[in-house]
Amino acid sequence: MDQSNNGAGASQLSKPRKPINQLADAMSIDQVFVLGDKQQRTNRQGSQYLLLKLTDRTGTIVAMLWNADNDTYDQLERGGYVQCAGRTQIHQGALQIILSSIAVADPPTVNPADFDRFDADAADEAETTLIEILTGLTNPPLKQLASCYLNDESFMKRFRRATAAVSNHHAYPGGLLRHTVDLMEICQFMGPRYQRVNTDLLTFGAFLHDLGKIEEILCEGELTYSDRGQFVGHIVIGIQMLGEKIAQYETETEQAFPAELRLHLEHLIVSHHGQREYGSPCLPATMEAIALHHIDNLDAKVTSFDSLIESSMGNQDHWTPYLPSISRKLWKKPDVPNA
């Protein structure tokens, strides 16, 4: 690539880009994104077009390129930087970009900090809370088992960056830790209010419930499922990880881990989706499992709806557009009137 192109790229790098979460309807766009996904499709008239998923550190947006040829599709790499020009519009309640052009971005035009969705400060804060909760458990076997996870540097490093999902709730690097800690804090608040709920067991179940996603989902670059995730899934992986840590516990303590406690922990993992059709091999059968399922679902739903509101904040109305995925509009004005 010649020096004149590099000079132009360096000049463009100094030009601020508009983050995805600040885009609004009818806005002209000419800037770099990460290509999260690409699909080549054919419309009813037989013309090819590209359906794309563009990302930056603030979110994801769908983009369309009409009358696209095979060469354009082949040149674009998932997870790569792309220079996009076009205009935003609202379609079926969601903001998207209609592209006039797309090309592989010139490296000097890219500021990697615009696209790294991992927030190290937020992860530090969440990890501190995680450690405080787990080291504060009163059940000795659970407290010792927790130390097997906390003292595993490789595990903790991956846990900090893991995502809770490919889409929907907490779908970003660091999202799994945030989701896990939020659940554990809710468990600490809610557990003591119900006589039949063991708060330590419930809290530890919240810690364990989605740990298999560390192996299930790849979060470097495009969020996508690993081969192990596709073949096995995070529930089975989580059970396997628990077995490995219990074996470590027994080696370090030279004592058998309580068999009944192990069954309760395994049940919390396998039942947390709540229904067989949602992926749980078993229905929740203990008070802790019932509570965990509903707490997990609450956090996922509220966070998902919050993301829908966030994605439509460019619209100045107090309501989002109609959202077909949830069959309603959502109130999004942040302030609440005084009584």
Side-chain angles (χ1 to χ4, degrees), residues 18-326:
K18 183 74 74 172
I20 288 175
N21 67 349
Q22 295 181 21
L23 297 180
D25 188 25
M27 183 179 290
S28 294
I29 300 296
D30 188 4
Q31 61 188 41
V32 176
F33 296 90
V34 169
L35 180 61
D37 194 16
K38 62 175 184 175
Q39 296 179 30
Q40 192 170 29
R41 296 188 175 184
T42 304
N43 64 18
R44 294 177 181 178
Q45 289 72 40
S47 299
Q48 291 185 336
Y49 68 96
L50 299 185
L51 177 63
L52 309 169
K53 185 185 295 182
L54 305 178
T55 71
D56 66 13
R57 72 185 309 272
T58 70
T60 300
I61 190 168
V62 169
M64 311 280 287
L65 179 67
W66 304 110
N67 301 315
D69 55 33
N70 292 335
D71 289 341
T72 301
Y73 178 84
D74 292 339
Q75 289 170 7
L76 304 176
E77 294 185 3
R78 291 181 177 89
Y81 296 112
V82 289
Q83 181 73 38
C84 299
R87 192 169 181 81
T88 60
Q89 69 172 34
I90 299 290
H91 178 66
Q92 294 185 345
L95 191 67
Q96 65 178 19
I97 303 175
I98 301 300
L99 297 175
S100 56
S101 68
I102 183 171
V104 176
D106 196 8
T109 69
V110 177
N111 181 359
D114 289 337
F115 304 97
D116 186 359
R117 301 183 67 187
F118 178 68
D119 187 333
D121 291 338
D124 288 343
E125 180 181 349
E127 184 177 1
T128 297
T129 303
L130 176 80
I131 293 170
E132 289 176 352
I133 293 175
L134 289 179
T135 56
L137 297 174
T138 58
N139 180 291
L142 289 181
K143 189 171 184 176
Q144 179 63 34
L145 183 60
S147 71
C148 294
Y149 287 93
L150 295 176
N151 295 333
D152 185 336
E153 293 184 5
S154 176
F155 164 80
M156 291 299 296
K157 182 178 180 180
R158 297 182 66 195
F159 188 21
R160 282 171 55 88
R161 292 193 67 94
T163 177
V166 169
S167 58
N168 298 324
H169 74 95
H170 301 90
Y172 56 89
L176 179 60
L177 179 59
R178 179 73 272 157
H179 173 56
T180 300
V181 170
D182 285 347
L183 258 62
M184 293 172 71
E185 290 186 308
I186 295 171
C187 291
Q188 294 273 289
F189 173 81
M190 195 204 81
R193 284 154 177 78
Y194 298 92
Q195 182 179 358
R196 292 186 180 276
V197 172
N198 182 307
T199 301
D200 272 8
L201 181 57
L202 174 62
T203 302
F204 207 86
F207 169 64
L208 294 176
H209 83 289
D210 269 350
L211 289 185
K213 290 184 176 180
I214 295 173
E215 293 282 346
E216 181 185 43
I217 305 174
L218 303 174
C219 64
E220 298 301 329
E222 178 195 3
L223 299 181
T224 186
Y225 290 97
S226 66
D227 289 342
R228 188 181 182 192
Q230 294 277 22
F231 277 119
V232 180
H234 73 276
I235 288 179
V236 174
I237 295 172
I239 291 290
Q240 294 170 340
M241 293 172 69
L242 174 62
E244 293 168 359
K245 289 306 179 188
I246 287 177
Q248 180 183 338
Y249 166 100
E250 293 179 337
T251 298
E252 292 179 356
T253 64
E254 298 182 344
Q255 296 179 356
F257 189 81
E260 185 174 338
L261 181 57
R262 177 173 186 161
L263 288 176
H264 278 274
L265 294 178
E266 290 174 338
H267 180 67
L268 285 163
I269 296 172
V270 300
S271 67
H272 78 267
H273 283 183
Q275 299 290 336
R276 291 188 176 91
E277 57 266 35
Y278 297 150
S280 277
C282 299
L283 300 181
T286 66
M287 291 298 290
E288 293 79 16
I290 292 166
L292 178 60
H293 162 61
H294 287 288
I295 294 170
D296 181 34
N297 192 46
L298 170 67
D299 188 59
K301 285 290 191 294
V302 171
T303 304
S304 295
F305 278 42
D306 185 66
S307 296
L308 291 172
I309 294 172
E310 182 70 25
S311 67
S312 67
M313 289 303 288
N315 189 321
Q316 297 304 309
D317 293 337
H318 293 168
W319 294 88
T320 68
Y322 179 80
L323 303 170
S325 62
I326 58 172

